[in-house]
């Protein structure tokens, strides 16, 4: 069936005797065929003004003023008319759906501002809460229809909530049109009315509603009251100035209440009667916007409720970040909170940023210096003299203590912005995280060079102030440079791993990228092992300096610092080793699949392997260390033509088995050992480790399946190998296997793409 196409309009009727109309359609079509793809013709006399002027008016897609015959320009809906209680409930539920559509990224012009009641409440702008009415005729007291005060209070609470959310969004990092649209189209959203007054209006409405409960059905009154309570709880939940200074469970109470109320609202929706005429896109004509008219976003109530349930649950969980114990637990919380599927909505991520960085005070009670010193101490330098605050009081420039304090202050000033930027980047959507990290690692590469110079100036004064307890007759230990280097390696790993999650790499590229991930993880594991050994030596030297026996322990504070640092290094080593082994095993498995023709590269007439390698490695091209392998070396490791397929699968099975043991150890780490903020964060850690463990089991099954199928072939068939490392093209039929590469969300873990192998018959 052919799609319906309206008939072409008739040609213009030009009757002037001095004009001769010539049909150039065929000539124009013939001229277009002479252009190659990508060519464009530009006339120097046809500029942007002429282009915009050429846009056709009276087209509904571009002209918001076009009217049908008999249609009025403005919406003629009467906001003072009487409504049934069921209709008020229906309007409120539709406003709830439009509010969620706004949180999902649609503009106000297509969501909340399509409501006739919302528009009437803001026009003209009310200065006080007493002026918040649907009609404000001069010298005439407003007279409301029964129960209309409920809708008025709800709309006021909705507008104030939108204002608070919008202001919070604009204070933090977000991406306009990609995450959220903050444009209010010159609507004030009750900006000048205090939140307390709006909450008072909502409470008064609840009191009035209870007084009238005998005049209306009880279940309708309960449903309306639930929605008013939801608006009060939302305004209390988003008052972040109070939340940041309260580490008790109190900030969670509004989120818990809203999560309970949304269940009630879901069950009460069957009582509602929709009023579609109370919403109109005609209201877009009044907005200060240069955009063409757009349709109203229609989100089903079921979808709305599902989004709100996750929204309130994530809002409850994000408050847990205030239970800060150390930088590693903070990082784990951010990483695992952001890795949820689906990802928390942008406003929840903005709350996380606000709690972390508002007014440059971390979590409302820590300075940037405390956070940085704690991170460096935990990662590479427990009980280091670098952090002695008594050095700050020394003013003599030649005193080594003053020199240490000055150099460390320079270090903090240089590191603070990249460090905080990194935490802020991790609060963004997944695509933006990877894209921004590609630029961030270059900043950290330059940072490492600067920190190296700072650390070089620290060596002499540190030797003086430590009196041999820090470094003596041992290779120079550069903890600050090591800290920056480990952070940079982690960011490089995240870029590659997010590439797997976001399906940046094609199936035939997985072998090479997992090899590169293995290389990065192995470097991090090796360097962390060096730090671990140095930490053990420093602990032993500290005991010797204090003249303690081997069985004696350090003072409690120092012993706690060394214990936590060694625990952190153990977890870091475990994570790096698991990544190393699993990436190695998957790389070898994908090499075997490519070699046997079970995974075939798609045709690429406009690219070469070298150009594609340069594209994939572009984020790392400017990094000074580790050096990128040249394409020939990369190709050698991503094909391994000298290694027989049977040996390839044997090595892959051993690597997967080692990774499996590592993830089993991760699953059994306690809350303290896993550096989890609380039990909820620990459960998220365990769930992530179990997903990785399941992925290793699936990889082991895939390798066993492929190994058995390969071993069933005769020796004569196995020996037919090509020079480039690819097996004979008859292998897919002989192996009798089908390979499926899972899509995002279909596998056990998005960072580990484990192919599924099944027998055809």
């Amino acid at each position: 069936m052919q799609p319906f196409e309206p008939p072409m309009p008739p040609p213009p009727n030009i009757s002037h005797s001095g004009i001769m109309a010539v049909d150039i359609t065929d000539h124009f079509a013939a001229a277009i065929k002479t252009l190659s793809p990508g060519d464009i013709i530009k006339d120097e006399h046809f500029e942007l003004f002429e282009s915009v002027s050429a846009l056709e008016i009276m087209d509904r897609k571009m002209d918001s003023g076009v009217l049908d015959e008999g249609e009025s320009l403005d919406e003629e809906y009467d906001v003072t008319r009487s409504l049934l209680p069921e209709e008020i409930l229906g309007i409120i539920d539709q406003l709830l759906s439009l509010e969620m559509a706004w949180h999902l990224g649609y503009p106000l012009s297509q969501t909340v501002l399509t409501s006739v009641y919302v528009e009437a409440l803001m026009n003209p702008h009310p200065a006080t809460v007493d002026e918040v009415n649907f009609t404000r005729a001069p010298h005439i007291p407003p007279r409301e229809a029964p129960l209309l005060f409920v809708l008025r209070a709800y709309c006021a609470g909705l507008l104030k909530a939108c204002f608070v959310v919008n202001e919070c969004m604009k204070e933090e990092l977000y991406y306009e049109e990609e995450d959220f649209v903050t444009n209010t189209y010159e609507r004030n959203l009750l900006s000048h009315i205090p939140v307390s007054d709006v909450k008072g209006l909502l409470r008064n409405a609840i009191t009035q509603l209870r007084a009238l409960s005998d005049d209306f059905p009880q279940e309708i009154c309960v449903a309306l009251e639930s929605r008013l309570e939801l608006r009060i709880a939302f305004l209390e939940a988003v008052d972040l100035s109070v939340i940041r200074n309260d580490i008790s469970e109190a900030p969670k109470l509004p989120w818990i209440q809203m999560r309970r109320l949304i269940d009630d609202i879901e069950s009460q929706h069957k009582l509602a009667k929709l009023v579609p005429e109370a919403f109109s896109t005609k209201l877009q004509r009044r907005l200060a916007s240069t955009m063409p008219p757009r349709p109203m976003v229609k989100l089903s109530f079921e979808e709305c409720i599902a989004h709100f349930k996750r929204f309130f649950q994530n809002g409850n969980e994000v408050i847990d970040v205030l239970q800060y114990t150390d930088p590693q637990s903070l990082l784990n919380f951010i990483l695992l909170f952001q890795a949820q599927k689906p990802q928390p909505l942008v406003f929840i991520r903005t709350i996380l940023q606000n709690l972390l960085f508002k007014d440059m005070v971390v979590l409302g009670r820590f300075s940037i210096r405390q956070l940085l010193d704690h991170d460096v101490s935990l990662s590479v330098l427990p009980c280091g003299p670098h952090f002695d605050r008594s050095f700050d009081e020394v003013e003599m420039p030649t005193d080594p203590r003053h020199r240490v304090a000055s150099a460390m202050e320079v270090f903090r000033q240089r590191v603070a912005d990249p460090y905080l930027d990194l935490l802020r980047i991790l609060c963004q959507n997944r695509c933006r995280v990877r894209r921004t990290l590609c630029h961030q690692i270059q900043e950290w590469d330059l940072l490492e060079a600067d920190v190296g110079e700072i650390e070089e100036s620290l060596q002499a004064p540190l030797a003086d102030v430590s009196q041999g307890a820090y470094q003596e007759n041992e290779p120079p230990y550069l903890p600050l440079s090591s800290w920056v280097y480990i952070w940079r390696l982690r960011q490089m790993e995240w870029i590659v791993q997010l590439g797997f999650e976001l399906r940046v790499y094609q199936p035939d590229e997985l072998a090479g990228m997992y090899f590169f991930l293995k290389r990065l993880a192995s470097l991090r594991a090796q360097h962390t092992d060096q730090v671990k050994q140095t930490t053990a030596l420093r602990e032993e030297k500290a005991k010797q300096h204090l003249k303690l026996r081997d069985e004696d322990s350090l003072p409690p504070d120092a012993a706690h610092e060394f214990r936590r640092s060694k625990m952190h290094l153990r977890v870091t080593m475990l994570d790096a080793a698991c990544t190393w082994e699993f990436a190695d095993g998957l790389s070898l498995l994908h090499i075997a699949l490519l070699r046997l023709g079970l995974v075939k590269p798609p045709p690429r007439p406009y690219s070469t392997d070298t150009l594609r390698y340069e594209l994939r490695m572009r984020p790392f091209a400017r990094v000074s260390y580790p050096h990128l392998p040249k394409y020939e070396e990369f190709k050698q490791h991503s094909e391994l033509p000298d290694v027989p397929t049977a040996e390839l699968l044997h090595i892959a099975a051993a690597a997967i088995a080692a990774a499996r043991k590592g993830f089993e150890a991760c699953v059994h780490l306690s809350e303290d050992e896993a550096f989890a903020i609380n039990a909820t964060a620990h459960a998220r850690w365990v769930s992530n480790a179990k997903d990785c463990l399941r992925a290793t089991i699936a990889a082991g099954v895939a390798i066993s399946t492929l190994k058995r199928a390969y071993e069933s072939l005769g020796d004569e068939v196995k020996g037919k190998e090509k020079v480039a490392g690819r097996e004979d093209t008859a292998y897919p039929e002989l192996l009798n296997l089908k390979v499926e590469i899972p899509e995002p969300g279909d596998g056990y873990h998005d960072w580990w793409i484990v192919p599924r192998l099944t027998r055809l018959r």
Side-chain angles (χ1 to χ4, degrees):
M1 180 178 178
Q2 295 295 327
F4 172 75
E5 294 184 0
M8 295 291 292
N13 184 17
I14 302 175
S15 59
H16 195 280
S17 57
I19 296 178
M20 295 181 60
V22 179
D23 187 356
I24 64 168
T25 304
D26 294 338
H27 299 287
F28 186 74
I32 289 176
K33 294 179 181 179
T34 63
L35 296 176
S36 301
D39 288 353
I40 186 171
I41 297 177
K42 182 179 182 300
D43 190 333
E44 60 181 3
H45 300 295
F46 195 81
E47 301 285 342
L48 177 62
F49 179 79
E50 286 77 16
S51 301
V52 175
S53 301
L55 294 177
E56 185 176 355
I57 63 172
M58 299 304 290
D59 182 352
R60 289 189 175 276
K61 295 181 179 179
M62 300 301 299
D63 187 357
S64 62
V66 61
L67 301 174
D68 291 332
E69 186 176 353
E71 182 183 5
S72 62
L73 181 64
D74 292 324
E75 182 58 51
E76 297 179 347
Y77 182 89
D78 183 10
V79 294
T80 62
R81 77 176 196 177
S82 296
L83 294 171
L84 296 173
E86 295 84 356
E87 292 178 325
I88 293 179
L89 198 63
I91 293 173
I92 289 177
D93 283 357
Q94 193 161 355
L95 284 172
L96 200 64
S97 298
L98 293 174
E99 180 187 8
M100 176 46 65
W102 180 56
H103 280 291
L104 292 173
Y106 293 97
L108 284 171
S109 62
Q110 294 179 259
T111 54
V112 176
L113 296 185
T114 60
S115 168
V116 177
Y117 288 98
V118 168
E119 175 66 17
L121 211 62
M122 294 187 294
N123 189 21
H125 300 326
T128 65
V129 72
D130 296 329
E131 296 180 3
V132 179
N133 287 291
F134 295 131
T135 58
R136 291 198 293 278
H139 312 299
I140 301 177
R143 299 181 61 184
E144 288 185 321
L147 291 185
L148 204 58
F149 66 89
V150 175
L151 181 57
R152 174 168 56 87
Y154 184 90
C155 290
L158 171 61
L159 285 172
K160 195 61 189 179
C162 290
F163 170 76
V164 174
V165 169
N166 216 46
E167 292 302 305
C168 180
M169 291 294 306
K170 290 189 287 188
E171 290 178 359
E172 305 300 337
L173 177 62
Y174 76 101
Y175 292 91
E176 187 78 21
E177 303 287 347
E178 179 179 322
D179 287 325
F180 198 78
V181 181
T182 57
N183 190 357
T184 60
Y185 307 97
E186 295 189 2
R187 293 294 186 265
N188 67 348
L189 305 180
L190 307 187
S191 58
H192 300 298
I193 299 177
V195 173
S196 58
D197 290 354
V198 176
K199 289 195 290 186
L201 179 64
L202 288 162
R203 292 191 179 100
N204 290 337
I206 292 176
T207 303
Q208 289 180 263
L209 182 62
R210 290 173 178 172
L212 298 174
S213 59
D214 295 336
D215 301 334
F216 299 98
Q218 183 67 25
E219 54 186 5
I220 293 291
C221 293
V222 171
L224 292 173
E225 185 175 338
S226 297
R227 285 149 177 80
L228 293 175
E229 289 178 350
L230 182 73
R231 292 265 61 100
I232 297 174
F234 192 93
L235 289 174
E236 291 176 348
V238 297
D239 190 359
L240 301 181
S241 61
V242 176
I243 293 175
R244 297 181 77 248
N245 299 317
D246 190 349
I247 59 175
S248 67
E249 293 294 311
K252 289 187 171 186
L253 296 180
W255 296 102
I256 296 173
Q257 182 187 8
M258 288 190 290
R259 183 62 183 84
R260 176 182 57 80
L261 287 171
I262 204 67
D263 288 334
D264 297 338
I265 291 172
E266 182 181 18
S267 62
Q268 297 160 351
H269 179 65
K270 62 180 180 293
L271 304 173
K273 180 181 179 181
L274 299 182
V275 186
E277 60 270 21
F279 300 86
S280 174
T281 55
K282 285 185 178 182
L283 299 178
Q284 294 179 0
R285 298 166 181 166
R286 302 179 183 178
L287 303 178
S289 173
T290 58
M291 297 299 296
R294 293 181 177 179
M296 182 172 60
V297 178
K298 295 182 180 180
L299 192 68
S300 70
F301 194 74
E302 291 74 18
E303 291 177 299
C304 164
I305 292 297
H307 284 299
F308 265 118
K309 286 181 178 179
R310 286 194 297 268
F311 183 67
F312 296 150
Q313 183 63 34
N314 291 333
N316 180 25
E317 293 173 352
V318 77
I319 307 298
D320 290 339
V321 73
L322 295 174
Q323 301 177 29
Y324 170 90
T325 54
D326 52 67
Q328 184 59 38
S329 64
L330 175 63
L331 177 66
N332 287 340
F333 177 88
I334 296 174
L335 290 175
L336 295 174
F337 183 78
Q338 289 291 92
Q340 296 180 85
K341 301 295 181 184
Q343 192 177 17
L345 291 179
V346 61
F347 179 59
I348 300 297
R349 306 200 303 266
T350 300
I351 292 178
L352 180 57
Q353 291 185 62
N354 188 287
L355 297 176
L356 285 173
F357 311 115
K358 178 71 173 178
D359 299 327
M360 297 303 289
V361 178
V362 179
L363 301 171
R365 62 188 192 278
F366 298 106
S367 66
I368 305 299
R369 172 176 179 167
Q370 287 176 294
L371 182 64
L372 285 173
D373 287 359
H374 199 174
D375 197 339
V376 177
S377 172
L378 180 68
S379 302
V380 295
L381 192 61
C383 297
H386 306 61
F387 316 118
D388 195 330
R389 286 184 173 268
S390 65
F391 293 177
D392 298 341
E393 302 174 1
V394 180
E395 299 181 358
M396 182 66 67
T398 57
D399 193 301
R401 294 172 296 175
H402 176 81
R403 293 165 60 190
V404 170
S406 299
M408 285 302 297
E409 187 60 29
V410 173
F411 165 77
R412 295 186 191 99
Q413 292 177 359
R414 179 65 181 87
V415 165
D417 284 342
Y419 184 80
L420 295 181
D421 286 346
L422 175 59
L423 295 179
R424 195 180 292 275
I425 288 168
L426 295 176
C427 296
Q428 306 307 309
N429 65 71
R430 306 298 276 176
C431 296
R432 184 59 65 170
V433 169
R434 185 180 186 276
R435 180 176 180 179
T436 315
L437 283 178
C438 292
H439 302 285
Q440 186 75 357
I441 59 171
Q442 299 177 23
E443 173 67 23
W444 279 77
D445 190 48
L446 298 174
L447 177 64
E448 187 173 351
D450 295 343
V451 169
E453 295 178 2
I454 296 171
E455 198 155 39
E456 186 176 348
S457 66
L458 274 169
Q459 297 306 305
L462 279 174
D464 294 336
V465 300
S466 62
Q467 298 178 354
Y470 176 61
Q471 286 183 349
E472 182 181 358
N473 300 327
E474 61 183 32
Y477 177 48
L478 305 176
L480 304 183
S481 298
S482 295
W483 179 78
V484 176
Y485 177 63
I486 291 174
W487 263 112
R488 184 161 56 80
L489 285 176
R490 294 195 75 175
Q491 293 175 64
M492 295 173 73
E493 288 181 47
W494 289 335
I495 291 172
V496 179
Q497 289 169 322
L498 285 170
F500 296 126
E501 177 180 337
L502 300 172
R503 290 301 185 266
V504 174
Y505 314 122
Q506 296 296 312
D508 62 305
E509 298 175 314
L510 296 178
M513 296 313 300
Y514 274 120
F515 155 71
F516 187 65
L517 177 61
K518 163 204 164 183
R519 189 168 180 264
L520 295 174
S522 65
L523 290 172
R524 181 161 66 97
Q526 293 166 11
H527 197 81
T528 304
D529 186 54
Q530 295 174 8
V531 174
K532 184 179 178 181
Q533 294 177 17
T534 304
T535 300
L537 291 174
R538 289 187 59 250
E539 184 179 20
E540 190 66 29
K541 184 170 279 294
K543 288 184 178 181
Q544 295 175 5
H545 182 72
L546 296 175
K547 299 180 180 179
L548 299 174
R549 293 175 298 178
D550 292 340
E551 60 272 16
D552 294 336
S553 59
L554 291 168
D557 291 344
H560 176 73
E561 278 197 46
F562 273 107
R563 183 182 68 84
R564 291 295 289 172
S565 180
K566 290 190 292 185
M567 189 182 298
H568 166 70
L569 291 170
R570 174 176 176 264
V571 175
T572 303
M573 278 288 296
L574 185 60
D575 173 68
C578 290
T579 304
W580 177 359
E581 295 289 357
F582 202 2
D584 187 24
L586 286 181
S587 174
L588 296 173
L589 173 58
H590 283 285
I591 289 174
L593 293 176
L594 278 169
R595 181 182 294 183
L596 297 172
L598 294 172
V599 172
K600 297 180 180 180
R604 298 186 177 101
Y606 300 109
S607 73
T608 64
D609 292 345
T610 305
L611 292 175
R612 195 165 57 257
Y613 170 75
E614 292 178 0
L615 177 65
R616 298 304 183 213
M617 297 300 169
R618 184 175 296 170
F620 318 106
R622 297 184 180 179
V623 175
S624 59
Y625 187 81
H627 304 293
L628 279 181
K630 294 190 177 297
Y631 172 69
E632 291 74 16
E633 179 186 353
F634 177 82
K635 183 178 180 181
Q636 178 73 17
H637 285 90
S638 60
E639 292 185 353
L640 298 176
D642 299 331
V643 181
T645 303
E647 184 178 349
L648 205 68
L649 295 174
H650 177 75
I651 299 172
I656 295 296
R660 179 176 176 177
K661 291 181 180 179
F663 285 121
E664 287 175 348
C666 290
V667 169
H668 293 97
L669 290 178
S670 66
E671 183 177 320
D672 189 50
E673 293 171 329
F675 287 85
I677 284 181
N678 56 11
T680 304
H682 182 246
R684 205 175 285 131
W685 162 278
V686 172
S687 176
N688 182 73
K690 285 183 177 179
D691 288 343
C692 294
L693 179 60
R694 295 187 187 99
T696 60
I697 295 172
V701 171
I703 291 174
S704 299
T705 302
L706 183 59
K707 193 174 181 180
R708 285 196 302 269
Y710 183 75
E711 289 175 349
S712 65
L713 301 177
D715 293 337
E716 296 180 359
V717 179
K718 293 181 185 178
K720 297 180 181 179
E721 297 187 359
K722 295 188 177 182
V723 177
R726 304 295 174 105
E727 298 278 1
D728 191 89
T729 55
Y731 270 108
E733 291 78 13
L734 296 174
L735 292 170
N736 195 30
L737 292 175
K738 175 187 176 183
V739 176
E740 179 185 357
I741 304 297
E743 292 297 321
D746 292 341
Y748 292 105
H749 196 286
D750 287 342
W751 287 2
W752 305 110
I753 303 177
V754 180
R756 301 190 184 103
L757 274 67
T758 54
R759 290 195 173 275
L760 294 176
R761 59 183 181 275

